[in-house]
Amino acid sequence: MEGGAAASTPAALPYYVAFSQLLGLTLVAMTGAWLGLYRGGIAWESDLQFNAHPLCMVIGLVFLQGDALLVYRVFRNEAKRTTKVLHGLLHIFALVIALVGLVAVFDYHRKKGYADLYSLHSWCGILVFVLCFVQWLVGFSFFLFPGAPFSLRSRYRPQHIFFGATIFLLSVGTALLGLKEALLFNLGDKYSAFEPEGVLANVLGLLLACFGGAVLYILTRADWKRPSQAEEQALSMDFKTLTEGDSPGSQ
Amino acid sequence: MEGGAAASTPAALPYYVAFSQLLGLTLVAMTGAWLGLYRGGIAWESDLQFNAHPLCMVIGLVFLQGDALLVYRVFRNEAKRTTKVLHGLLHIFALVIALVGLVAVFDYHRKKGYADLYSLHSWCGILVFVLCFVQWLVGFSFFLFPGAPFSLRSRYRPQHIFFGATIFLLSVGTALLGLKEALLFNLGDKYSAFEPEGVLANVLGLLLACFGGAVLYILTRADWKRPSQAEEQALSMDFKTLTEGDSPGSQ
């Protein structure tokens, strides 16, 4: 635990990551099963266009976004730049898939003549999408685009991590609100009769919350944080001497 | 920042705590305003009994539970035992108020002949209540009841903190689901016409999410953590020598 380049992976970490992935994949499969079994499946040019929305959001803003946060725990011994690029790419994939999901619901509303953006789910959803986009842009400018001073990076890093985790949790909460909305719209009074669709969707909701919890646990375990590597420490020192001579400890 | 008994309060912390309290109180006031203005107010022996449920849950499981988590950041220079007792007491108050809220909704359902525990909101709610209760019992046995070995306490502490924060976030998520359920049941199609009640409740939902975010931010800022005090360090050392000689660093 003395740091350095040869730091090994904590023994329990792979099991927790595997569990989180099992949860995440079950989540995606179950969303597909719900839409296929009870909502008629997915098609872009019909009333089934709406169904692209929940599937895209669960894949993009929940599963892929969650996995993007775990990248620094999983690839702990790779070069930091490679891991950063993977983190940024996963977030781009998540955003693009979420954008398809957004287009699906707005297009469906337009064709049906339904109102847009009146519900708490839609307000939270738009907030999540905008925050994700802003977080990506700011993260890119600070950490991938060259030129941000070392002191600024080390000052912004904790904020980036906090807001990343918070936006992810808000995504999970928004998905829960959307699921609930779909259930109440589609099942109505049948929901209280313990219809199979209602029970399946409730289990899906619990799985969503569990996936959020699992990602948060892996992310916050202090002894599972990525160790800073010798090569980076050396680079940081070089960078520091090139910039105004400040240190990350000074924040 | 060298630790020790005379550690001062970080300059920005009081402002963030004040902001969180302002959010929390606005949340409670707004829940009351929503129920008073649009839902007919609160009374135990009538149809208005249901309305005791959201108010109790927002006060107990959101506001008080959130504040119980902040106790260690706010009372950072008091004796640890006093702070622990306050933390435990706030959680008891939260649980008792939540129990009143639970009784209100089950009693209302019984009188009306409605089904219980079919919705995702109710599943999450029961889960939150049971987890809160178990977390309190385990926390009490480890940290307040004398006798738990020092090594066990320091091993359990990070788990207690993680699950405390997670249960709080799940409470916020459950409140959002409940709010959404109430809106769809009561407003129906009027929700999409941007009725004042719908807009007020959406803002209430966003405030709930913001309060959750604010508490999480204060809780996770590394430089705002409670410093371990000289008296506790001495006590811990005494305790360590009395027990099997293990150290918190060995976990």
Side-chain angles (χ1 to χ4, degrees):
Chain A
M1 277 296 163
E2 252 62 38
S8 62
T9 302
L13 177 59
Y15 297 101
Y16 279 79
V17 171
F19 178 68
S20 74
Q21 296 313 291
L22 193 69
L23 271 178
L25 291 171
T26 310
L27 202 61
V28 174
M30 211 177 210
T31 307
W34 167 52
L35 296 169
L37 284 171
Y38 298 105
R39 301 279 115 227
I42 295 174
W44 195 259
E45 292 296 341
S46 77
D47 277 7
L48 299 176
Q49 186 181 20
F50 174 82
N51 293 348
H53 175 70
L55 189 67
C56 285
M57 292 323 197
V58 166
I59 295 176
L61 290 185
V62 178
F63 184 54
L64 281 183
Q65 196 186 177
D67 275 10
L69 304 189
L70 294 184
V71 151
Y72 291 103
R73 301 294 174 278
V74 176
F75 302 102
R76 45 195 305 112
N77 301 319
E78 322 299 317
K80 186 125 183 199
R81 196 166 174 86
T82 319
T83 322
K84 267 188 198 179
V85 170
L86 184 61
H87 177 75
L89 276 179
L90 274 174
H91 272 302
I92 287 192
F93 286 143
L95 270 168
V96 169
I97 294 173
L99 190 64
V100 175
L102 267 186
V103 171
V105 73
F106 277 104
D107 209 30
Y108 173 79
H109 277 194
R110 188 181 51 77
K111 286 176 193 162
K112 287 277 188 180
Y114 292 163
D116 285 319
L117 298 177
Y118 63 86
S119 74
L120 181 56
H121 165 69
S122 61
W123 288 24
C124 289
I126 288 293
L127 187 67
V128 161
F129 190 79
V130 171
L131 288 176
C132 268
F133 185 64
V134 171
Q135 167 93 345
W136 193 92
L137 279 183
V138 180
F140 181 82
S141 331
F142 273 76
F143 299 124
L144 273 172
F145 197 76
F150 180 76
S151 68
L152 220 59
R153 283 190 183 188
S154 62
R155 261 193 150 100
Y156 172 57
R157 187 174 293 112
Q159 312 291 334
H160 183 78
I161 295 170
F162 172 78
F163 283 102
T166 304
I167 294 168
F168 167 67
L169 292 173
L170 194 58
S171 303
V172 173
T174 306
L176 289 175
L177 285 175
L179 186 66
K180 180 99 201 179
E181 195 170 276
L183 284 173
L184 290 175
F185 278 150
N186 295 321
L187 288 176
D189 288 345
K190 285 193 287 179
Y191 192 17
S192 62
F194 292 90
E195 285 275 311
E197 180 180 354
V199 176
L200 179 91
N202 284 359
V203 174
L204 178 56
L206 289 184
L207 277 179
L208 271 164
C210 286
F211 179 70
V215 169
L216 199 65
Y217 184 81
I218 297 170
L219 213 61
T220 54
R221 269 280 293 249
D223 51 338
W224 289 355
K225 293 216 190 306
R226 185 189 158 96
S228 63
Q229 294 180 342
E231 92 189 88
E232 290 152 26
Q233 282 162 356
L235 271 172
S236 302
M237 293 309 292
D238 287 350
F239 215 88
K240 263 199 298 184
T241 52
L242 285 172
T243 53
E244 63 266 46
D246 45 19
S247 98
S250 68
Q251 64 179 315
Chain B
M1 276 295 168
E2 252 64 36
S8 62
T9 302
L13 178 58
Y15 297 100
Y16 280 80
V17 171
F19 177 67
S20 75
Q21 296 313 291
L22 193 69
L23 271 178
L25 291 171
T26 310
L27 203 60
V28 174
M30 211 177 209
T31 308
W34 167 51
L35 297 168
L37 284 171
Y38 297 105
R39 300 280 115 229
I42 295 173
W44 196 259
E45 293 296 341
S46 76
D47 277 6
L48 299 176
Q49 186 180 19
F50 174 82
N51 293 347
H53 175 72
L55 190 66
C56 285
M57 292 322 197
V58 166
I59 294 176
L61 290 185
V62 178
F63 184 53
L64 281 182
Q65 196 186 177
D67 275 9
L69 304 189
L70 295 185
V71 151
Y72 291 104
R73 300 294 174 278
V74 176
F75 302 101
R76 44 197 305 115
N77 300 318
E78 322 298 316
K80 184 125 185 199
R81 195 165 176 86
T82 319
T83 322
K84 267 187 196 177
V85 170
L86 184 62
H87 177 74
L89 275 179
L90 274 175
H91 273 302
I92 288 192
F93 286 142
L95 270 168
V96 169
I97 294 173
L99 190 64
V100 175
L102 266 186
V103 171
V105 73
F106 277 104
D107 209 30
Y108 173 79
H109 278 192
R110 188 181 51 76
K111 285 176 192 162
K112 289 277 188 181
Y114 292 162
D116 285 320
L117 298 177
Y118 64 86
S119 74
L120 180 56
H121 166 68
S122 61
W123 287 25
C124 289
I126 288 295
L127 187 68
V128 161
F129 190 79
V130 171
L131 288 176
C132 269
F133 186 63
V134 171
Q135 167 93 346
W136 193 90
L137 279 183
V138 180
F140 181 82
S141 330
F142 273 77
F143 299 123
L144 273 171
F145 197 75
F150 180 76
S151 68
L152 220 60
R153 284 189 184 191
S154 61
R155 261 197 149 97
Y156 172 56
R157 187 174 293 112
Q159 312 290 333
H160 183 77
I161 294 171
F162 172 78
F163 281 103
T166 303
I167 294 168
F168 167 68
L169 292 174
L170 194 58
S171 303
V172 172
T174 306
L176 289 176
L177 285 175
L179 186 66
K180 180 97 201 183
E181 194 170 278
L183 283 174
L184 289 175
F185 278 150
N186 295 320
L187 287 178
D189 288 343
K190 285 193 287 179
Y191 192 17
S192 61
F194 292 89
E195 284 276 310
E197 179 179 354
V199 176
L200 179 91
N202 284 359
V203 174
L204 177 57
L206 289 184
L207 276 179
L208 271 163
C210 287
F211 180 70
V215 170
L216 199 66
Y217 185 80
I218 297 170
L219 214 60
T220 53
R221 269 280 294 248
D223 51 338
W224 289 356
K225 293 214 190 305
R226 186 189 157 95
S228 62
Q229 294 180 343
E231 87 186 274
E232 289 152 25
Q233 282 164 356
L235 270 171
S236 302
M237 292 308 292
D238 288 349
F239 213 90
K240 263 199 298 184
T241 53
L242 284 172
T243 54
E244 65 268 41
D246 44 18
S247 97
S250 68
Q251 64 179 315

